[in-house]
Amino acid sequence: MRMISFTVAVFMTAIMPLVISAGDAPKRSAELQVLDRLIGEWETEITIKGTGEKSTTLQSRRWSREGKFVLSEDLDKSAKKESHFLVTYDAKAKQYRACFINEEFTVPLMGTWDESTKTMRWKSSDIAFRHDGVHRFVNKDLVEWTMTVTSPEGKIVLEMSAKQTRRK
């Protein structure tokens, strides 16, 4: 009996990724379909305003198993640091939710989509340093974004701009 249970458990574990892949998930809402443009392999060149310092990151983005979240694994090539970005749509609140996390900090973000300009606007919530960002989807293979971080006293402590290119 134990052998049968063990065999069934191994079999179910082996086929589970096939059963619950994002491709099999129910059709996503129009709001979640906006996030389809994030999916894929990307390279981002980030520039820090003021210093001109540049860094390059690689992103690998995919839908979660149930097709409700975009999962992004990011690697800063120069600093050799890993980070993650999680994005979804909250139908009750009628806004996008995202969370950026690395080993130093976590930034929860709330977003709004403007279809006419193909722009996502992000604002942080419930953290001391305010984050305001804009992602503009120039075309299917190019995104330009900016992010400004402001201290609780209202002083700008960081301004970044970036060009994000889909890797082929």
Side-chain angles (χ1 to χ4, degrees), residues 56-80:
T56 301
T57 62
L58 301 176
Q59 295 83 31
S60 180
R61 298 182 181 145
R62 62 182 172 79
W63 280 105
S64 64
R65 289 183 178 171
E66 293 292 317
K68 295 179 182 172
F69 293 88
V70 172
L71 311 172
S72 181
E73 295 179 307
D74 306 355
L75 176 66
D76 183 321
K77 288 172 50 174
S78 52
K80 303 287 187 225

Side-chain angles (χ1 to χ4, degrees), residues 42-44 59 61 141-143 145 162-166:
W42 295 85
E43 182 169 307
T44 304
Q59 295 83 31
R61 298 182 181 145
D141 296 325
L142 178 63
V143 179
W145 61 259
K163 287 195 189 269
Q164 194 167 63
T165 307
R166 187 181 303 276

